[in-house]
Every structure is written in structure tokens, then in C-alpha cells.
Amino acid sequence: MGTTAWEGRMSAYYGQELHGPFEMFDLGDFVLEDGGTIRGAKLAFATHGRLSAARDNAILIPTWYSGTSKIMEQTLVGPGRALDPERYFIIIANQIGSGLSSSPHNTEGAFHGPDFPSVRIGDDVVAQYRLVTEKFGLEALQLVVGASMGAQQTYEWAVRYPDFVRRAAPIAGTAKNKPHCRLIGQSFIDALTSDPAFNDGHYRNSGDVRAGLIRHARAFALTGLCQEFYRLELWRDLGFSSLDDFFVGFLNAYFLPMDPNNLILMARKWQRGDVSRHANGDLAAALGRIRARTTVLALSSDMFFPPADCEEEAKLTPGAAFRVIDTRFGHAGLFALEPTYVPQVDAALKDLLAAP
Amino acid sequence: MGTTAWEGRMSAYYGQELHGPFEMFDLGDFVLEDGGTIRGAKLAFATHGRLSAARDNAILIPTWYSGTSKIMEQTLVGPGRALDPERYFIIIANQIGSGLSSSPHNTEGAFHGPDFPSVRIGDDVVAQYRLVTEKFGLEALQLVVGASMGAQQTYEWAVRYPDFVRRAAPIAGTAKNKPHCRLIGQSFIDALTSDPAFNDGHYRNSGDVRAGLIRHARAFALTGLCQEFYRLELWRDLGFSSLDDFFVGFLNAYFLPMDPNNLILMARKWQRGDVSRHANGDLAAALGRIRARTTVLALSSDMFFPPADCEEEAKLTPGAAFRVIDTRFGHAGLFALEPTYVPQVDAALKDLLAAP
């Protein structure tokens, strides 16, 4: 299938205009861990900077739930920042189901929408490994850094390819998803599937699932931010005049253009993130394989991945450092909307990159 | 209307067999703060112990969301406990909408179900004041103690009737509901109203709203317990063999027999709990009126009413003590399912009752 046909299947939201520039890597018929196959699978990626002749300056960033390479760039990459394109070759890989890579909404035929096969975090990492080895001929990554579901992929990288990953920085995410976090993912899924217009995923247009998408945005509002954010009315700092103004102008605006089946695919992947399956369910043994120099970063007010959950895994990761980023935005601190966020994350990543 | 007709309108769940014994106090046509009227309003109450001849040993306990006088008795009252019926005359008042007192489900005619008038925490406290003064001729309460929505009523009592309340112990609840807590209440309401069978509250049988009631139970599971409860699989301590076993055997079993309109009435009351309306929105001024010796109790892992929210209000309450009860059950710590709960709450209440 040609790029034109592919582009034609993209909705305006998931296109180059809002999320580009990005390129496509062809994975062919991609067999998944749970047994399914994505036929003609594609991985959307963006790059920043130039690969050195020695191919020794590459950094990989996987994406988080509902995010694309664009928000990863905006929150993590820039001249003078830790991830400086003047110095590093930065590859941002959009996860399967993100809407840019192969996803329920852009797959035609029998595997469209809710019939898209089941995907796990490991599938993303295998696809990304093929991208960086086959497309760029890499033999190592100086750093894998990702937040939230990107942290899940970061852990998966470090456990699955221990000799390939020199440094790892999972931010606000875990190697094995915790039961309460699974309930949060379920609250997102239930918000969408409980809308009668969802129709078991066989809706005609994603906009028909408006009530479900708004409930999904409210579910994010409940656990994706934090008590302090609301008590101090920090939405005012973002230019909103009331809580409803924030809900509609920020959360609805962000989530309403998205495809429910895409979101559900990602949420299920998130719920089942677990590197311990590489060691027969033994999380300590799985994390014990990591050779990357690792800095585990947690967000102080995160309800998705509380610092205690992150620290527990840092202790199981050989030689890992653990740092807490102070934020009053809960998990949504990752959006870098507080001026205090970037200096903290950059300081941690600069330290990590400066280490041998 | 006679008691027999009243009893006849009760479903099996809301009756004497499961929640009794309780009695009824007739409020007549009861005009509400928001302007509505409950005609032939009734307050269900239970008593334990005997009122002294001097009428100086009375304690009042209001009920929490979805609870009745029975669970208040089970978690707070007993021989040898701080609230000892051998020593005190303990009145437990079921809140309006609880299903035992006047409620959407047991009101016939024009004001049935979703057309039941809007009720506030203040209405409950006025009704309870009438009960304790008119029925029992009290001139003071030695203690008002309540948890969750019961704490909201406790604060309302202490602010509204400062000379009547000698001691107050709000447990895991606030005087002014915080914005994030309002979102939690909304997640409960939305879980019910999003079920098509809810039909704007005009369902025929509450069991028809089964999907909504189960979603409501899941919403409680998400924020009513806590990360640690799930991470440590503490449902095992309650005799459940898996998380699903706990959801169905505990949470569904608890919530499924309840009436959705009753739950929504209580949730809206909870969301709008706010004593500052007695002082033109000035919370410090409202709490400054309190003359009761007050001990504010918070639960260490509570997501509904985090310790920080409770402590903030304790600081605004003249002379108040602040104590944190350690629990790994989140807000559901109130159910006293951990053996460590009762000793902690009783120690705090004994100290308070021993003080002059």
C-alpha cells in the first residue's frame, strides 16, 4: 500500500498538520506477542538532529497514552535542553494505536476498529528495535527516555535489549503496572464503552461517541491531575476562568478529536505493561537484567504512578538512581505546563547523559 | 400518613430487617434550604443506651453516604468502646436520602425519584436539631461525631448551633468540600446517570439500572480505597480470592441493592457541603464560630478527604486537635475492617470525651 492511500485514511486530527512532520517505517506483516498480525504495519516516527558518523549519539523517545511525537518533542527536546538536537540524534517513535502508527482507526477491512489485534508494550519495543537497527543501522542507544506509557516502553527496552540500551530514564511510569493503575485505565475504557453510541466499537464516526469521549476526559480529570491542582485552582495559571472553562477548553479540546478504539487499544496496553513476563513473573529477576545506567523519575503528586510505586522498582534496578520531580499538576505535570518542570527533568537527564 | 403505609413503600433492602431497629420522627412539612418542601417528612433514627435524668449524656451520630444507622452502630458504638451505651445515650440519625429517612425512592406522587427536592447538609442538621430538641428535650449534645458525610454534618452542627454542641469529632470529612472531592462525587453520579436504563431517574425498578450501579461500585473502587490496598492485595484479608471476587462479592453486593436516585441525592449533598455559606463564603469566619472542643480526624490514605484537606480546616477551628488514623484501606478504612482501626478511633474519642 502506498503512502498516499495511507495518508488518505488518516483523519485530519491524526495527520501531518497537527502532529508532523513525521515519517513512516514499514514493518511488513508484523506478528504480535498475543498472536495477532498487523498486516502492512507502519511505525510513525520523527527525528531531530543528525546521526553522527560513528552512530553513537542516538536517543529514543517512545510516546505516552494519547500523545504523539509532537508533544514528546514539545516537552522534552530543544536546543540547550538535555535532549539537544545540536548534539544528539533523537528518534521519537509513535506507539502502535497512537493514531499515527498502525491503529484501529486507520486499518481498513477485517481488522478495522475494535477488531484490531491485541497489542502489548513489547510489540512496540520490537517494532522500535527494527526501526533503529534496520532504518538507522544503530548498534546502541545512548538513552531511552519516555514518560508514562513511554516509561513502560523504556523499561521494556532496558530489560529486553540490555546490551543495546546504555542509559534509561523511565519518567512517571512503571515496569509492572500496579493494580490501582489498572483500575484507572479501566475507568478510561469504561467511560468510552458505556456510551451506547460506542456500539462495541462499531461507530461510524468517532464524533458519534461524544458523550463517551467527554466522560473519558472527566475520568482523566479525576485521576490525571491531583487534589492540589484543583484546590489551588491552578487552571487559572493556564488561562482558564473557571473549572468548567478548563474542562471544556482544555480537556474536551484535547480528547474529543481522538478515536475511541485507538484510546482503548492504548489503555489496554497500558493496563498490562509488565516486564516480569520476561522472567516467569519475577519482577526482581526481570529488572535485574538491566545493564543501562538508569534514573527513575517520579512526579510528586502523581496518582497514576505514585512515587512509592516508582521507587519500589528503582530499588530492584541495578545501580538505579531515583529522583522525584516536584509538581502540583499530578500526572499531567508531564505536559510541562509549570515553569518548574523543564529545569527539573533536564537536570536529571543531563546528569544521566553526562555519566559514562 | 400512617407507619404502615410508610413501611409498605420501603423496599426490602431499606427495611427494619437489614437496617433496624430504627424509629421514625415526624417532621411534618419540612421546608428546605434550597426552597423545596418535603411533605410529611420523616427522619429515621436509632438509639442506644438511656438518656440520663439530667439529659446530659447525649451523643449524636449522623450517617455517611450510602450508610445507615446500622453501619454507624457497627463501626462506632459498643460496650467498652468510646461510645459506650452503658454510659451515653447515643442517637444515630439517618440522613435524608439514605433510604430510611425521607428519600427519593420512598416518596410517592409528584416528588418521587428524580423529582425529590434538592437537599443540603444544613437540612439534615436542622431536622436532627428538631429531633433532639422536640423528641428528647435536649439542651446540649456532649458530642457530635460523624464520618465522611457524617463529618460534613458534624461541622454544620458545630457552626450552626455553637452553644448546643459541647464536643465535635469530624472523621474523614471536611467543612467545605474541596474541588477534587466534588469531582469524585461527580464520578459517582455520572456512573449512574450514564446508564440508558437510568432514564433521567424514571426507571421502574432500581435493578434495571444494574450497569450503572456496577459502574458506581467501580467508581467507588477507584477512589474509595487506595493504591496500597490493591498493591498489597488486602482484599485477601477480607476473605476474597481475587480482585474480581472482591468487586462482585463486596462492592457489587454492597451497592447493587441501593436506589440510584437516593445515591444521587446524597452525592449532590456531599458535593455541596460547605459551612462557609453561614459567613458569606468565608470559611475561616464560619469555622471561627465553633465553640465545641473539636478533634479533627483524618485517614492516612484517604483519597476523598486527604489529611492535608482535613488539617487545613482543623487549623481554622478554634483550639481543635488534629489526629491521623493510620489505615491502608483509603476512605473505606471507615468500615473498620482492619483490626487497627477501632483502637485508634476510640483512643481519640475517649480523649475528647474525657476533656471538660
Side-chain angles (χ1 to χ4, degrees):
Chain A
M1 67 185 65
T3 302
T4 311
W6 177 266
E7 295 284 332
R9 284 203 304 280
M10 298 246 181
S11 76
Y13 174 75
Y14 290 115
Q16 292 283 356
E17 198 178 335
L18 283 172
H19 297 284
F22 57 85
E23 299 169 68
M24 287 296 176
F25 176 69
D26 203 326
L27 292 159
D29 290 351
F30 188 70
V31 179
L32 300 158
E33 190 173 320
D34 281 345
T37 298
I38 305 174
R39 290 170 177 82
K42 295 192 187 294
L43 202 63
F45 66 96
T47 64
H48 303 273
R50 264 177 289 186
L51 184 59
S52 63
R55 295 169 195 249
D56 64 355
N57 69 333
I59 289 175
L60 178 74
I61 310 176
T63 58
W64 64 47
Y65 179 76
S66 83
T68 72
S69 43
K70 179 54 71 183
I71 186 76
M72 297 301 113
E73 175 196 350
Q74 290 168 342
T75 55
L76 285 172
V77 178
R81 297 201 51 183
L83 307 192
D84 190 337
E86 306 287 324
R87 181 162 179 193
Y88 296 105
F89 179 60
I90 300 159
I91 306 161
I92 313 182
N94 290 280
Q95 65 169 295
I96 298 166
S98 61
L100 272 54
S101 298
S102 288
S103 298
H105 96 283
N106 62 26
T107 298
E108 285 181 342
F111 296 98
H112 174 75
D115 297 316
F116 195 85
S118 171
V119 181
R120 293 195 70 136
I121 293 287
D123 297 313
D124 281 292
V125 170
V126 168
Q128 291 160 21
Y129 182 82
R130 286 190 49 197
L131 170 71
V132 303
T133 54
E134 296 175 16
K135 171 89 181 171
F136 298 112
L138 299 185
E139 291 174 354
L141 285 163
Q142 288 304 317
L143 171 67
V144 179
V145 52
S148 198
M149 284 187 75
Q152 293 182 307
Q153 293 167 73
T154 299
Y155 272 118
E156 177 79 18
W157 259 101
V159 169
R160 187 184 275 263
Y161 303 115
D163 295 323
F164 203 94
V165 181
R166 297 286 155 82
R167 296 175 194 78
I171 307 172
T174 51
K176 176 176 174 141
N177 200 29
K178 305 297 176 266
H180 186 261
C181 194
R182 209 171 303 146
L183 294 186
I184 291 175
Q186 198 59 41
S187 76
F188 287 22
I189 293 168
D190 290 348
L192 295 165
T193 59
S194 61
D195 184 347
F198 178 71
N199 191 28
D200 291 330
H202 298 286
Y203 46 82
R204 196 171 290 271
N205 302 297
S206 62
D208 295 343
V209 195
R210 181 178 175 83
L213 283 161
I214 289 177
R215 268 205 299 281
H216 174 279
R218 290 301 168 281
F220 182 86
L222 184 64
T223 52
L225 292 136
C226 65
Q227 286 99 343
E228 199 176 12
F229 174 83
Y230 293 106
R231 191 173 54 232
L232 301 178
E233 302 189 346
L234 297 180
W235 36 263
R236 292 194 188 278
D237 296 353
L238 307 179
F240 296 98
S241 56
S242 72
L243 191 55
D244 273 344
D245 193 45
F246 167 71
F247 280 172
V248 175
F250 188 92
L251 295 177
N252 288 7
Y254 179 69
F255 285 114
L256 271 178
M258 298 185 190
D259 180 79
N261 286 318
N262 288 357
L263 290 168
I264 290 167
L265 183 93
M266 287 186 281
R268 290 190 177 140
K269 218 197 290 185
W270 161 21
Q271 288 183 298
R272 300 189 302 148
D274 182 8
V275 300
S276 82
R277 73 202 193 291
H278 291 296
N280 292 318
D282 184 338
L283 180 62
L287 290 172
R289 293 188 189 178
I290 293 177
R291 294 201 195 172
R293 181 182 290 273
T294 302
T295 296
V296 172
L297 292 161
L299 304 184
S300 59
S301 53
D302 195 338
M303 282 198 239
F304 286 8
F305 304 99
D309 289 353
C310 300
E311 187 171 20
E312 187 178 76
E313 295 185 345
K315 287 179 180 161
L316 299 175
T317 303
F322 174 67
R323 289 168 76 148
V324 177
I325 295 171
D326 190 57
T327 170
R328 303 180 301 176
F329 274 54
H331 191 68
L334 294 175
F335 282 93
L337 297 168
E338 294 159 297
T340 51
Y341 177 78
V342 163
Q344 292 181 85
V345 73
D346 274 12
L349 296 179
K350 279 181 180 171
D351 284 354
L352 180 60
L353 284 163
Chain B
M1 65 186 65
T3 302
T4 310
W6 177 266
E7 295 284 325
R9 285 202 304 281
M10 297 245 179
S11 75
Y13 174 74
Y14 291 114
Q16 293 282 357
E17 198 178 336
L18 283 172
H19 298 283
F22 57 85
E23 301 170 64
M24 286 296 176
F25 177 69
D26 203 325
L27 292 159
D29 291 351
F30 188 69
V31 179
L32 301 157
E33 188 173 323
D34 282 345
T37 297
I38 305 174
R39 291 171 178 80
K42 295 195 189 290
L43 201 63
F45 67 96
T47 64
H48 303 272
R50 265 178 285 187
L51 184 59
S52 63
R55 297 172 194 248
D56 63 356
N57 69 334
I59 290 175
L60 177 75
I61 311 176
T63 58
W64 64 48
Y65 179 76
S66 83
T68 72
S69 42
K70 180 53 69 181
I71 185 78
M72 297 301 110
E73 176 196 348
Q74 291 167 341
T75 57
L76 285 172
V77 177
R81 296 201 53 182
L83 307 192
D84 189 337
E86 306 289 322
R87 180 162 179 191
Y88 296 105
F89 178 61
I90 300 159
I91 306 161
I92 313 182
N94 291 280
Q95 65 169 296
I96 299 167
S98 60
L100 272 52
S101 297
S102 288
S103 298
H105 95 285
N106 62 26
T107 298
E108 285 181 340
F111 296 98
H112 175 74
D115 297 316
F116 195 85
S118 171
V119 181
R120 293 196 70 137
I121 292 287
D123 297 313
D124 281 293
V125 170
V126 169
Q128 291 160 20
Y129 182 81
R130 286 192 47 198
L131 169 71
V132 302
T133 54
E134 297 175 16
K135 171 90 180 169
F136 297 111
L138 299 185
E139 290 175 356
L141 285 162
Q142 288 305 318
L143 171 67
V144 180
V145 52
S148 198
M149 285 187 74
Q152 293 182 309
Q153 293 165 73
T154 299
Y155 272 118
E156 177 79 17
W157 259 101
V159 170
R160 187 184 275 263
Y161 303 114
D163 295 322
F164 203 93
V165 181
R166 298 285 154 82
R167 297 176 193 77
I171 307 173
T174 52
K176 177 177 173 139
N177 200 27
K178 304 298 177 265
H180 185 262
C181 194
R182 210 170 302 147
L183 294 185
I184 291 175
Q186 198 59 41
S187 76
F188 287 22
I189 294 169
D190 290 348
L192 295 165
T193 60
S194 61
D195 184 347
F198 179 70
N199 191 29
D200 292 329
H202 298 286
Y203 46 83
R204 195 170 292 271
N205 302 297
S206 63
D208 296 343
V209 196
R210 181 179 174 82
L213 284 161
I214 289 177
R215 270 205 298 283
H216 174 278
R218 292 299 168 281
F220 181 86
L222 185 64
T223 52
L225 291 137
C226 65
Q227 286 99 345
E228 199 176 13
F229 174 83
Y230 293 106
R231 189 172 57 233
L232 301 178
E233 302 188 346
L234 297 180
W235 35 264
R236 291 193 189 279
D237 297 353
L238 307 179
F240 296 97
S241 56
S242 72
L243 191 55
D244 273 344
D245 193 45
F246 168 70
F247 279 173
V248 175
F250 188 91
L251 295 177
N252 288 8
Y254 180 69
F255 284 115
L256 271 177
M258 297 185 191
D259 180 79
N261 286 319
N262 287 358
L263 289 168
I264 290 168
L265 182 93
M266 287 186 281
R268 289 190 177 137
K269 218 197 289 185
W270 162 20
Q271 287 183 299
R272 300 188 301 147
D274 181 8
V275 300
S276 82
R277 72 202 194 292
H278 291 295
N280 292 317
D282 184 338
L283 180 62
L287 290 173
R289 292 189 190 177
I290 293 176
R291 294 201 196 173
R293 181 182 290 272
T294 302
T295 296
V296 173
L297 291 161
L299 304 184
S300 58
S301 53
D302 194 337
M303 283 198 237
F304 285 8
F305 303 98
D309 289 353
C310 300
E311 187 172 18
E312 188 178 76
E313 294 183 345
K315 286 179 181 160
L316 299 176
T317 303
F322 174 68
R323 289 168 79 149
V324 178
I325 295 173
D326 190 56
T327 170
R328 303 179 303 175
F329 274 53
H331 191 68
L334 293 175
F335 282 92
L337 297 167
E338 294 159 297
T340 51
Y341 177 78
V342 163
Q344 292 180 84
V345 74
D346 273 11
L349 295 180
K350 280 180 180 171
D351 284 354
L352 180 59
L353 284 164

